[in-house]
Amino acid sequence: MPVTDEAIDKIKAMIVSGELRPGARLPKEADLAERLGLSRSSLREAVKALSLIRVLDVRQGDGTYVTSLEPDLLLDALGFVVDFHQDNTVLDFLEVRRILEPAATAMAASLMSDEDIARLRTVLDSLGDEPTLEELITNDLEFHQLIAAGSGNAVLCSLVEGLSGPTTRARIWRGVTEEGAVSRTREQHEAILSAIESRRPDLAQAWATVHVAGVEQWLRKTLGSPVSAL
């Protein structure tokens, strides 16, 4: 095992065991390297790697700390990863979004408070009669983020948000090139919200599936890829 990987594993073991808890400060570099039987250079590389994925927070002049380890922080790198993939690979992410987002929407229909549903209505109603594509996309992202948060599951929310933002480019392309895409998006958002307002998880899940699948099917057709089972 490369020495850096070994160092990462040893630090990870300290966190998993509870020896280093969220917010805890790591021992000084020399002390930790000696304790773990590592060179200071390999330990330094491990700390850099773990800071990139938000497990550790290196504070200049203060030391290195374990982060909060909250799902939204650790999964933030997901969007970064998606941005590096080509259009045909974005289809894979859209497939995952089609699986997760309807589930989150169904949970939101059961769990969202009346106040949060009212806020969702305000967001949807704030869109003018003839919005620009940029306004529609911004509204779309906020709409889905609120629903994901309404699922009550922080991990699911982080996954949905990580998949939603980076696939925005596909939605922009669709809005520009496919006739009626903008009006359909608005109609589907209204249907999703109505199902949530009625506390109908089954209906909310069905409309969310239709909504995400529409973007996926359009991109498959545009790229000439086989249509998966929807």
Side-chain angles (χ1 to χ4, degrees):
M1 179 184 296
V3 290
T4 300
D5 289 348
E6 181 185 359
I8 290 173
D9 280 349
K10 288 184 175 181
I11 296 173
K12 175 185 172 183
M14 293 177 71
I15 296 172
V16 171
S17 69
E19 185 177 353
L20 286 175
R21 296 186 176 278
R25 187 179 187 275
L26 268 65
K28 292 181 179 179
E29 182 183 276
D31 295 339
L32 186 58
E34 182 179 0
R35 175 179 171 183
L36 297 179
L38 300 167
S39 68
R40 294 180 66 172
S41 61
S42 63
L43 177 60
R44 200 172 297 126
E45 289 302 314
V47 168
K48 286 181 182 178
L50 290 170
S51 65
L52 286 174
I53 60 173
R54 310 293 184 87
V55 172
L56 297 179
D57 178 20
V58 179
R59 305 175 190 175
Q60 292 297 327
D62 186 21
T64 300
Y65 293 79
V66 179
T67 66
S68 66
L69 302 179
E70 290 294 325
D72 59 338
L73 183 66
L74 297 182
L75 293 171
D76 186 55
L78 178 61
F80 184 76
V81 172
V82 177
D83 283 338
F84 280 102
H85 288 72
Q86 300 302 311
D87 299 324
N88 58 338
T89 313
V90 169
L91 285 169
D92 295 336
F93 289 99
L94 279 168
E95 282 188 346
V96 176
R97 186 181 166 210
R98 171 165 48 84
I99 293 168
L100 296 181
E101 192 158 321
T105 305
M107 292 168 68
S110 297
L111 299 173
M112 283 186 81
S113 67
D114 292 340
E115 291 78 11
D116 286 339
I117 293 176
R119 183 182 173 194
L120 196 59
R121 169 57 68 185
T122 299
V123 168
L124 195 58
D125 289 347
S126 68
L127 203 60
D129 292 334
E130 295 183 5
T132 64
L133 186 59
E134 181 180 353
E135 290 171 340
L136 183 70
I137 294 298
T138 299
N139 189 270
D140 177 90
L141 288 172
E142 185 176 4
F143 181 78
H144 290 292
Q145 285 169 353
L146 287 173
I147 292 175
S151 71
N153 185 307
V155 175
L156 180 58
C157 178
S158 296
L159 287 171
V160 169
E161 288 189 4
L163 292 166
S164 180
T167 55
T168 298
R169 189 156 55 109
R171 281 174 276 175
I172 293 174
W173 288 354
R174 185 191 185 202
V176 170
T177 63
E178 186 179 40
E179 185 177 355
V182 171
S183 61
R184 274 197 300 278
T185 294
R186 298 193 68 167
E187 290 168 1
Q188 290 166 4
H189 280 182
E190 179 61 42
I192 291 169
L193 177 53
S194 294
I196 292 174
E197 288 174 330
S198 302
R199 302 294 186 180
R200 290 285 306 278
D202 54 343
L203 191 58
Q205 182 169 5
W207 273 114
T209 301
V210 168
H211 183 55
V212 179
V215 180
E216 182 188 342
Q217 287 183 310
W218 170 83
L219 187 57
R220 286 188 182 281
K221 181 179 178 181
T222 301
L223 298 176
S225 299
V227 177
S228 63
L230 299 178

